[in-house]
Amino acid sequence: MKKFSILSFMLFLQTFVFAQQAQLTVHVTGARGFAINDARVTINGTRQIYTDSIGQFVLSGIVGATYSLRISKQGYLNENRQIKLESKNQSLTISLATLSHQLDEVLVKENRNLIRKGEEVLNVAVVNSDFIQRNLGGSLMKTLERLPGIKTIGIGSGQSKPLIRGLGFNRVVAVDKGIKHEGQQWGADHGLELDQFAAGEVEILKGATSFMYGSDAIAGVINVKPSRPPLKHTIAGNVDLIGKTNNNLYGTSVNLLGRNDKFFFDTRFTYQDYDDYRVPTDRVYVYDFEVPITNNYLRNTAGKETGIHWSAGVIGEKSNTVFYFSNVHSKSGFFANAHGLEPRKVAAEFHDRSNSDIQLPSQEVNHLKLINRTAYQFEQHKIELELGFQRNFRQEFNQYVNHGYMPANYPSNLQIPKDLEREFDKKVLSANLRNKFILNAHQFTIGTNLEFQDNLINGWTFLVPSFKQYTAGIFIYDQLKLNETLILQGAIRYDYGKMKLAKYTDWFESNDSQKLVRAENLTRNFNSLVWSLGVNYNPSKLFFKANIGKSFRIPIAKELGANGVNYHYFSYEKGDPGLSPEKSYQLDATLGWKERSWSLNISPFYNYFPNYIYLNPTANYDYFYGAGNQVFEYAQSKVIRYGGELEFNYKLTSFLNAEILGEYLYAMQISGVKKGFTLPFSPPPSLLLNLTYSPKDTKLFKDSYFSADYRITGKQHHIVPPEKKTEGYQVINLQIGTSLHFYNQPLRVSLQAQNLTNKKYMNHTSFYRLIALPEAGRDIVLSLKIPFKLVKHNHN
């Protein structure tokens, strides 16, 4: 009986205690209602937690108890609340006020950008999906080109790769949903397989960022973030429609998403089809051989693109996990006269009979990704884990053309398709683990990054051997917030990498009846210690930040083991297996001032490479294996680079705004055989002048704008052979847009006129500049975004 009484009492006590437990779900938002993630929440002056990716945290306690909350986030005023738990389950929304000096009317539409700049010591810019729709280019990288310091290496109308302050290829890291995007970045004709319609927000970091992202982040990072999870109890989506006149492009992107209490899904399908694009010229020159262009159409540059995206996840009180799947596929032609060794033998009539077909030479690329992102929060720690698998499969097709000792006729017994010139198959496994925690005024991040690559090749020509690559890094990052206006930052990182190149032997015999070994087995180990120090000082009107750091880059397989013809450059390229890891030291600063009607930012930088890796053109020509092409060899030299960006914004009236965006870069090799020359693809100085009229909203038209860009680009006569000098030019672009509201249903309309005057000009960072091919002619771009809701969010 006694035993029963004690047991009954314990059960009663347990029931009573649990009955008194309560949970308060708090949503932290900005003044415009968007969620604020990673805000610091201090409970009763001791315990500290962070808001999650949707701006939410959960306070657990006893019914009737009162808790003191302090919510802080860089760029916002601190919020202090006394919260009494009055029921078992409560919800509350707390809105943080933006710091007064960032509430100026002229800057309100760029508020997210300003707040992010206030959090970072690095040079950072943030754009959202509205910016992307307003400035739609042929690719995501082309769309971002409007930002100062960002350029692209373009090939055709749908392929481009980014340059940050004149550095590109494997010196720029692209991050997609937390995982480093790994494609065939080493080729100028290899664009990034990223669907710009699927980007929720894009963050661009300029400068030394290896301390966080490891090898390759010498120039900076382009971080493509997913859309935020939908609101609870909502099924919605949107339909994007796009059309372009220059290459008769038409496309659509359809999005459907939904969420109940904790589970959500997000799907998207994108399709684009385009013809050969038009240029304001009727002839180009390849090897000084004149190539006529029929009706201004660049033959065989048509293409098709598809993107399939799916994500689903669970958002809990202390943890969340999301799975992402995407498959981006493209098929496009190469300008026939600029690919291969015989521009005279191109059948122009055959290629010109249709502007929409895709003939040889062509390329087909498929990039598949599967990513999981999981976050778990306990006490003052936030653990983040990202796991990823991706496969980049790229094929280049062409008619068989023999060179060197290759047989005149394609062997019937060769187990390679006759039109498969090259094939690259890359499989990548990635893992990132981070622990964010607070210790007094310090906000620490400790993390590690692991990656394994398996790269296979195929095809009847050779340039880069198969290889395997292993990389691992560990880092610690500290942000010390001294007060509301001053942040100090320090970071240190150690990386280890291994590269294993596979032996490659020609499938045909040379003149001594032997098959030439193009690449030997090679194993190289690399390691590096990098660091970063920075300061962010942000009082009421003045804005100053500076960062100094060291970055590094592991030599890629092409730089170590290339030994063949690069058809895209009409060159015979040779790697150097003894190259050392590339190092970079960079000083980066931003000085700004904000007034009610204007703002000014100046961002200078200085960059020093003690061993920059570059492709050096020699005086030799390979007549045995390269059909007489000039020999290029990878080498290293000391390089200095300096320059900067300018951003000036002035509010002329309540409806009229002016903007000036400028950029300048100087680069020089100060050692080696090309001492005194610049670096390839060094963009000339440029200035963009913008005038935007934003009329007052009406019942039917909201968020309307009429905008004109006038870009002035200087000449670039500071070159490195075999580059050619380019002259300066001016281009006018127009943008018009509005939101039409019918029965509370918005329809976003955007209209652009790119290269309004059909200007003929050479872009110094264009892939086709080598054959004197100008940029695309006038292009009218119409895009529509039609959002819809099938089940509306219940605010109660």
Side-chain angles (χ1 to χ4, degrees):
M1 183 72 178
K2 182 178 180 181
K3 188 175 181 180
F4 175 78
S5 300
I6 293 175
L7 180 60
S8 300
F9 175 75
M10 292 178 64
L11 290 174
F12 170 77
L13 182 62
Q14 184 179 12
T15 304
F16 175 78
V17 170
F18 276 98
Q20 303 306 307
Q21 291 291 313
Q23 287 187 338
L24 172 66
T25 301
V26 181
H27 299 270
V28 181
T29 68
R32 302 183 70 186
F34 57 83
I36 299 177
N37 63 321
D38 283 332
R40 181 189 299 185
V41 182
T42 305
I43 303 171
N44 290 341
T46 56
R47 182 186 171 203
Q48 292 180 326
I49 58 176
Y50 290 100
T51 57
D52 61 18
S53 61
I54 59 171
Q56 177 178 296
F57 72 92
V58 176
L59 174 64
S60 299
I62 301 173
V63 172
T66 299
Y67 295 86
S68 175
L69 301 183
R70 178 182 175 87
I71 305 175
S72 61
K73 175 75 171 180
Q74 180 69 24
Y76 297 90
L77 293 174
N78 292 337
E79 181 73 16
N80 296 299
R81 291 286 184 99
Q82 295 291 323
I83 302 294
K84 184 177 181 180
L85 299 185
E86 297 177 345
S87 61
K88 294 182 181 180
N89 294 290
Q90 296 173 259
S91 63
L92 175 67
T93 298
I94 297 178
S95 179
L96 300 186
T98 312
L99 286 173
S100 59
H101 64 276
Q102 291 178 331
L103 287 175
D104 298 339
E105 184 180 8
V106 64
L107 298 177
V108 68
K109 290 187 177 181
E110 299 297 326
N111 190 56
R112 169 62 182 149
N113 198 354
L114 287 172
I115 292 170
R116 188 67 181 93
K117 287 181 177 181
E119 299 171 347
E120 273 285 354
V121 299
L122 296 170
N123 189 306
V124 61
V126 180
V127 300
N128 57 21
S129 57
D130 291 337
F131 174 94
I132 293 173
Q133 185 187 19
R134 182 167 172 167
N135 300 278
L136 273 175
S139 66
L140 176 60
M141 298 305 116
K142 197 68 178 177
T143 299
L144 298 178
E145 197 173 30
R146 190 182 184 277
L147 301 173
I150 307 298
K151 288 288 180 285
T152 62
I153 299 175
I155 175 170
S157 57
Q159 301 289 330
S160 60
K161 60 193 318 94
L163 291 171
I164 297 181
R165 292 172 168 171
L167 296 178
F169 301 95
N170 285 68
R171 296 181 181 93
V172 173
V173 167
V175 176
D176 184 25
K177 302 175 183 67
I179 293 294
K180 186 177 176 183
H181 178 89
E182 295 284 8
Q184 307 294 336
Q185 291 100 313
W186 50 266
D189 57 307
H190 301 166
L192 297 183
E193 304 83 9
L194 295 172
D195 184 352
Q196 59 185 324
F197 293 101
E201 184 177 89
V202 182
E203 182 178 87
I204 300 96
L205 293 167
K206 304 174 191 174
T209 50
S210 285
F211 71 90
M212 186 68 75
Y213 297 95
S215 178
D216 300 356
I218 283 182
V221 173
I222 295 176
N223 188 3
V224 182
K225 299 182 178 182
S227 300
R228 295 182 181 275
L231 297 173
K232 290 183 179 181
H233 310 296
T234 299
I235 297 178
N238 60 76
V239 177
D240 288 277
L241 301 173
I242 182 174
K244 298 184 178 183
T245 60
N246 181 278
N247 59 350
N248 299 322
L249 179 146
Y250 63 90
T252 184
S253 186
V254 181
N255 175 226
L256 178 66
L257 50 85
R259 178 181 173 185
N260 55 21
D261 188 28
K262 294 183 178 181
F263 175 80
F264 77 92
F265 72 91
D266 192 335
T267 61
R268 178 177 293 274
F269 173 76
T270 300
Y271 176 79
Q272 292 188 110
D273 188 298
Y274 53 90
D275 295 349
D276 300 340
Y277 75 95
R278 283 176 285 184
V279 291
T281 188
D282 59 1
R283 65 196 67 246
V284 296
Y285 297 87
V286 182
Y287 271 158
D288 295 324
F289 173 73
E290 183 179 288
V291 177
I293 302 297
T294 304
N295 298 325
N296 302 112
Y297 282 98
L298 200 63
R299 60 180 61 96
N300 203 42
T301 56
K304 302 177 187 294
E305 299 177 12
T306 58
I308 300 173
H309 307 268
W310 172 88
S311 63
V314 178
I315 301 173
E317 296 171 355
K318 294 184 178 181
S319 65
N320 60 75
T321 185
V322 184
F323 286 91
Y324 300 94
F325 170 83
S326 65
N327 192 80
V328 177
H329 180 270
S330 67
K331 182 178 181 180
S332 58
F334 289 115
F335 174 41
N337 301 92
H339 183 94
L341 301 173
E342 300 292 339
R344 292 179 177 86
K345 294 184 179 180
V346 172
E349 293 183 1
F350 171 77
H351 282 89
D352 291 341
R353 67 183 182 182
S354 172
N355 294 322
S356 59
D357 60 356
I358 303 173
Q359 301 293 342
L360 298 178
S362 64
Q363 62 178 342
E364 195 162 347
V365 187
N366 196 88
H367 198 108
L368 179 146
K369 284 197 189 88
L370 179 61
I371 298 171
N372 172 255
R373 303 185 73 183
T374 299
Y376 178 71
Q377 185 170 287
F378 66 97
E379 296 181 349
Q380 299 183 35
H381 296 265
K382 185 177 183 181
I383 308 296
E384 297 176 330
L385 174 65
E386 293 149 352
L387 301 173
F389 168 79
Q390 53 190 310
R391 184 190 183 193
N392 184 281
F393 187 65
R394 176 186 178 87
Q395 293 178 305
E396 297 180 7
F397 302 96
N398 201 0
Q399 295 176 348
Y400 175 71
V401 177
N402 67 308
H403 58 268
Y405 295 107
M406 294 173 65
N409 297 314
Y410 194 77
S412 59
N413 62 344
L414 190 62
Q415 299 299 309
I416 301 173
K418 185 177 181 179
D419 62 350
L420 183 59
E421 184 176 68
R422 284 178 181 149
E423 179 181 284
F424 304 99
D425 188 357
K426 171 177 288 194
K427 299 181 182 69
V428 184
L429 294 173
S430 306
N432 304 323
L433 178 64
R434 293 179 299 274
N435 178 15
K436 297 180 179 180
F437 61 95
I438 298 170
L439 185 61
N440 298 323
H442 297 267
Q443 181 175 320
F444 287 102
T445 302
I446 298 176
T448 183
N449 311 101
L450 305 172
E451 185 182 89
F452 168 70
Q453 293 187 25
D454 186 9
N455 295 262
L456 301 175
I457 63 167
N458 196 9
W460 44 260
T461 64
F462 173 78
L463 179 60
V464 181
S466 296
F467 68 94
K468 297 183 189 309
Q469 180 176 308
Y470 312 80
T471 56
I474 185 169
F475 67 90
I476 181 169
Y477 171 72
D478 177 26
Q479 271 196 347
L480 174 59
K481 186 175 182 180
L482 298 178
N483 52 51
E484 293 301 323
T485 61
L486 183 60
I487 298 176
L488 302 180
Q489 168 251 303
I492 189 168
R493 178 187 179 102
Y494 175 77
D495 278 275
Y496 169 80
K498 175 182 282 189
M499 178 80 73
K500 298 181 68 174
L501 303 186
K503 183 178 180 178
Y504 180 87
T505 303
D506 275 339
W507 54 269
F508 54 89
E509 295 179 348
S510 58
N511 63 345
D512 55 0
S513 299
Q514 298 291 323
K515 293 182 179 180
L516 180 69
V517 176
R518 293 291 187 95
E520 296 282 2
N521 287 322
L522 176 69
T523 299
R524 291 286 308 277
N525 296 292
F526 307 96
N527 63 84
S528 182
L529 187 69
V530 300
W531 49 269
S532 176
L533 295 171
V535 59
N536 186 328
Y537 180 56
N538 192 11
S540 60
K541 293 185 178 181
L542 176 67
F543 180 83
F544 172 78
K545 59 183 176 181
N547 182 75
I548 184 170
K550 174 189 175 184
S551 292
F552 89 110
R553 183 177 69 86
I554 293 175
I556 62 175
K558 184 184 179 189
E559 294 165 338
L560 295 172
N563 189 7
V565 177
N566 187 340
Y567 293 104
H568 302 285
Y569 276 103
F570 305 100
S571 61
Y572 191 95
E573 299 182 5
K574 288 186 176 181
D576 181 354
L579 292 174
S580 60
E582 195 173 72
K583 300 176 183 178
S584 168
Y585 300 89
Q586 182 159 320
L587 174 63
D588 195 290
T590 300
L591 180 64
W593 191 272
K594 295 182 286 289
E595 292 286 354
R596 181 171 181 79
S597 61
W598 62 272
S599 66
L600 173 66
N601 281 339
I602 301 175
S603 302
F605 71 91
Y606 179 85
N607 193 196
Y608 170 67
F609 286 87
N611 57 349
Y612 184 89
I613 301 173
Y614 69 102
L615 190 58
N616 175 45
T618 71
N620 302 320
Y621 291 83
D622 190 294
Y623 293 97
F624 298 102
Y625 302 99
N629 281 276
Q630 186 179 9
V631 175
F632 287 65
E633 297 177 346
Y634 280 98
Q636 293 186 282
S637 68
K638 297 179 180 179
V639 169
I640 59 169
R641 304 170 64 257
Y642 58 83
E645 295 88 42
L646 166 72
E647 300 177 66
F648 177 71
N649 195 299
Y650 188 76
K651 190 74 172 179
L652 299 171
T653 69
S654 58
F655 303 114
L656 192 61
N657 190 74
E659 187 177 33
I660 299 175
L661 304 176
E663 57 190 290
Y664 173 78
L665 169 68
Y666 178 83
M668 177 182 286
Q669 300 183 47
I670 58 176
S671 71
V673 295
K674 288 298 186 290
K675 181 179 179 180
F677 287 97
T678 187
L679 298 175
F681 294 107
S682 293
S686 71
L687 198 67
L688 187 146
L689 309 178
N690 171 266
L691 193 64
T692 298
Y693 173 66
S694 302
K696 187 177 180 180
D697 288 347
T698 66
K699 186 176 181 180
L700 181 61
F701 300 101
K702 300 183 185 299
D703 298 321
S704 303
Y705 62 88
F706 302 86
S707 183
D709 286 344
Y710 180 59
R711 183 177 289 278
I712 305 170
T713 302
K715 63 183 181 182
Q716 183 55 287
H717 287 182
H718 187 43
I719 61 171
V720 55
E723 283 191 322
K724 297 180 180 180
K725 298 178 180 179
T726 53
E727 300 303 319
Y729 56 89
Q730 300 83 43
V731 177
I732 299 175
N733 298 325
L734 300 180
Q735 303 96 24
I736 303 173
T738 189
S739 286
L740 297 171
H741 288 252
F742 301 101
Y743 305 102
N744 295 321
Q745 185 67 40
L747 168 64
R748 188 67 186 173
V749 183
S750 298
L751 181 67
Q752 296 181 70
Q754 299 173 352
N755 192 4
L756 180 66
T757 61
N758 203 37
K759 178 76 173 182
K760 179 181 178 181
Y761 67 97
M762 302 291 174
N763 183 351
H764 194 76
T765 63
S766 170
F767 173 82
Y768 281 143
R769 170 179 49 88
L770 295 174
I771 59 172
L773 180 66
E775 293 299 288
R778 182 187 300 109
D779 195 9
I780 308 300
V781 183
L782 175 64
S783 63
L784 305 176
K785 181 181 285 291
I786 310 168
F788 59 86
K789 289 185 179 180
L790 302 178
V791 177
K792 294 185 178 181
H793 169 68
N794 186 352
H795 294 278
N796 297 326

